Amino acid sequence: KDVIHILIIKKLIRNAMKKIILLLSCIFVMTSMFAQTSFQELTLEKALEQAKVENKYVFVDCYTSWCGPCKMMAEKILPLKEVGEYMNGKFVCVKFDIEKGEGRTIQQKYRVSAYPTFLILDTDGNLVHVVVGGTATGDEFLAKVKIAFDENSVGKLGVEYENGNRNMDFLMRYIKALVQSCDLEKARKIAQDVLVALDEEEKCSEPYWFIYENLDLSPVGSGNMMYLLKHVEQFRKGVGVEKVDSVLGNLFAIQLEDILRGRNKNATLADVEAAGKLLDTYKLTGQQYLYDYIALIKAIKEENTDETLRLCKNIFPKMPDEKIAYLYFSPLTTLQYKWNNKQKKELVAFTKQLIDQVEMSQLKHSLKNFADFGIPHLGEN
C-alpha cells in the first residue's frame, strides 16, 4: 500500500508541475505579447478617435512588402520590451502597407517617400514628427521618437513657422528638423530664403555652413554648390580650411567614385585628366586619396593591368568596408579580358588579404566568392 501511495503522490506531483509549467509559459507568452509594440487593426480615422479617448498620439508604421529595413524593424526592434512599453503607453499604433488600400492615401497625404517611415500624429491627424529609416537598436529608435515631444520637433516648429516666426535662429532649427524628417523640398526652400537675406560675408560664415555642407540642401550642380566653388577662399576664412576642404574633397570623390563604379560610363580619359587639373587648383588638404582615384581610373581606361593591380593593392587596404563593398569589384571586372594568369593569382591572393581585413560578414562572403570563382573565370565567355 505504501508503494501504491508513493506512486500516486508522484503522479499527482508530476501533473501539478506540468500545470504550473503550462501556466508559467502562458504568463510568459502573454507578458511578451503585452511588452512588444502592439499594432491594432484600425483605419487611420478609428485610430485617431481611439487616441483622443485614451489621450494618446497615433503612431503609423509606413512599410512596403519589399523593404528589408521595414522587416528588420518589425522583427527585431519594435518587438523589444523597452520599445513596446514606451510605445504602448504613448501611442495608438497602426501600420499600413503604403502601396495598398488606405496606405496609398496616407502616402500621398503625408508625402511618404522613403521606407520605413514612422509618422507621429496628433488626434486631429496633424503631423507632429517623422522618423525615417531603420535603427540598429531600440534605444536609438526611441531617441528618434522622443524628439517629437521636445521643442525642436518638426511639427511644433512647423506651427511656429506658419504663425510667422522668421527669427534666423529659429529658421536654422527648422531647416535641420525638416532635413531629419526628410522633407527636403521644404528644407531647401527655407534654406534659400535664409541665404537670400544674407550679405556675402554672412553667407561664408560658420552659422550657415551646414546648408552648404549638406548635399541634400546643396546638391551637386545646384546654385548653392556653385556659390561655394566660386568663393572657396572666403569660406576657408569664415569656416575653416579643414571643413571646407572636406566638403570639396567629397564632391570630387562622388564624381570619381561614380566612374570607378561604372555608373558614369561617358567619362573619357580627357575628362579624368581635367578633373586632376581642377583638383590641383583647389590645393585641398588631406585629400591625397583623390589623386589615387584619378590614377586608378586612368590605368583602367588605358587598360594598363599592371598599374591597375599596383594601385588596387595600395588603395583598397586603406578603405572602410562600405567603400570596398561598392568600389572593389567593378575596376577588376571592367578589365576582365585583359588579366593574364599570373595577375589573376595575385588578385586572388590580394582579395583573400582583404577578406581578413574587413569586418562586414556579407562583404567577407562576397570577397570569398570573388576570389574562389569570380577572378579565376575573368575573361571567360
Side-chain angles (χ1 to χ4, degrees), residues 52-66:
K52 188 169 292 187
V53 171
E54 297 180 9
N55 194 27
K56 293 180 178 180
Y57 292 84
V58 173
F59 177 84
V60 186
D61 178 354
C62 302
Y63 70 94
T64 68
S65 60
W66 46 263

Side-chain angles (χ1 to χ4, degrees), residues 198-208 227 234-235 238:
L198 303 176
D199 61 33
E200 297 299 307
E201 184 176 349
E202 288 175 319
K203 287 179 182 177
C204 301
S205 63
E206 180 68 36
Y208 309 100
Y227 184 86
Q234 291 95 315
F235 276 101

Side-chain angles (χ1 to χ4, degrees), residues 62-316:
C62 302
Y63 70 94
T64 68
S65 60
W66 46 263
C67 167
C70 299
K71 294 176 182 177
M72 184 276 292
M73 292 297 293
E75 295 171 3
K76 303 292 185 183
I77 303 300
L78 292 168
L80 291 173
K81 180 176 181 292
E82 64 271 22
V83 173
E85 287 178 347
Y86 179 83
M87 298 299 291
N88 296 338
K90 196 80 174 177
F91 303 101
V92 173
C93 301
V94 288
K95 58 169 56 181
F96 295 92
D97 185 331
I98 222 70
E99 296 180 330
K100 297 179 181 178
E102 188 177 2
R104 293 176 179 172
T105 303
I106 292 170
Q107 186 272 331
Q108 292 173 359
K109 179 175 180 179
Y110 296 102
R111 295 189 292 181
V112 177
S113 59
Y115 309 101
T117 287
F118 304 101
L119 307 175
I120 295 175
L121 310 177
D122 65 20
T123 53
D124 292 322
N126 298 315
L127 184 64
V128 174
H129 187 56
V130 182
V131 177
V132 179
T135 61
T137 66
D139 287 343
E140 182 186 353
F141 174 71
L142 288 178
K144 291 188 174 184
V145 170
K146 290 175 181 178
I147 292 173
F149 306 105
D150 70 24
E151 61 181 10
N152 289 322
S153 73
V154 70
K156 291 182 180 179
L157 295 176
V159 171
E160 282 192 58
Y161 182 80
E162 294 303 322
N163 288 335
N165 189 342
R166 294 299 184 270
N167 175 273
M168 199 62 78
D169 289 338
F170 163 76
L171 292 176
M172 296 296 98
R173 288 190 288 124
Y174 190 31
I175 293 168
K176 291 174 182 177
L178 288 167
V179 170
Q180 189 175 44
S181 66
C182 289
D183 191 347
L184 299 179
E185 182 180 348
K186 192 166 188 176
R188 290 189 195 112
K189 178 186 180 302
I190 297 174
Q192 286 306 117
D193 291 343
V194 167
L195 293 178
V196 166
L198 303 176
D199 61 33
E200 297 299 307
E201 184 176 349
E202 288 175 319
K203 287 179 182 177
C204 301
S205 63
E206 180 68 36
Y208 309 100
W209 171 243
F210 81 91
I211 295 176
Y212 294 96
E213 70 176 344
N214 187 314
L215 290 180
D216 287 326
L217 295 176
S218 302
V220 175
S222 67
N224 287 349
M225 193 52 63
M226 297 306 295
Y227 184 86
L228 168 59
L229 294 175
K230 290 179 180 178
H231 298 81
V232 170
E233 289 307 319
Q234 291 95 315
F235 276 101
R236 282 172 171 164
K237 291 177 183 177
V239 178
V241 172
E242 187 175 341
K243 288 182 179 180
V244 175
D245 285 6
S246 177
V247 170
L248 293 177
N250 189 41
L251 292 177
F252 276 96
I254 290 170
Q255 306 299 319
L256 296 172
E257 287 175 2
D258 276 352
I259 299 173
L260 283 172
R261 297 170 69 180
R263 296 178 66 178
N264 180 357
K265 297 182 183 298
N266 298 321
T268 64
L269 185 58
D271 293 330
V272 178
E273 290 174 342
K277 292 178 181 177
L278 182 60
L279 185 57
D280 289 338
T281 65
Y282 286 113
K283 296 180 174 59
L284 302 182
T285 57
Q287 310 294 327
Q288 177 57 42
Y289 76 99
L290 297 172
Y291 288 101
D292 293 337
Y293 279 177
I294 289 172
L296 179 56
I297 294 170
K298 289 174 68 174
I300 294 168
K301 289 192 173 294
E302 292 169 349
E303 298 183 347
N304 186 336
T305 49
D306 283 331
E307 181 66 359
T308 298
L309 180 55
R310 185 190 71 79
L311 288 165
C312 285
K313 288 181 177 180
N314 177 56
I315 294 171
F316 287 102

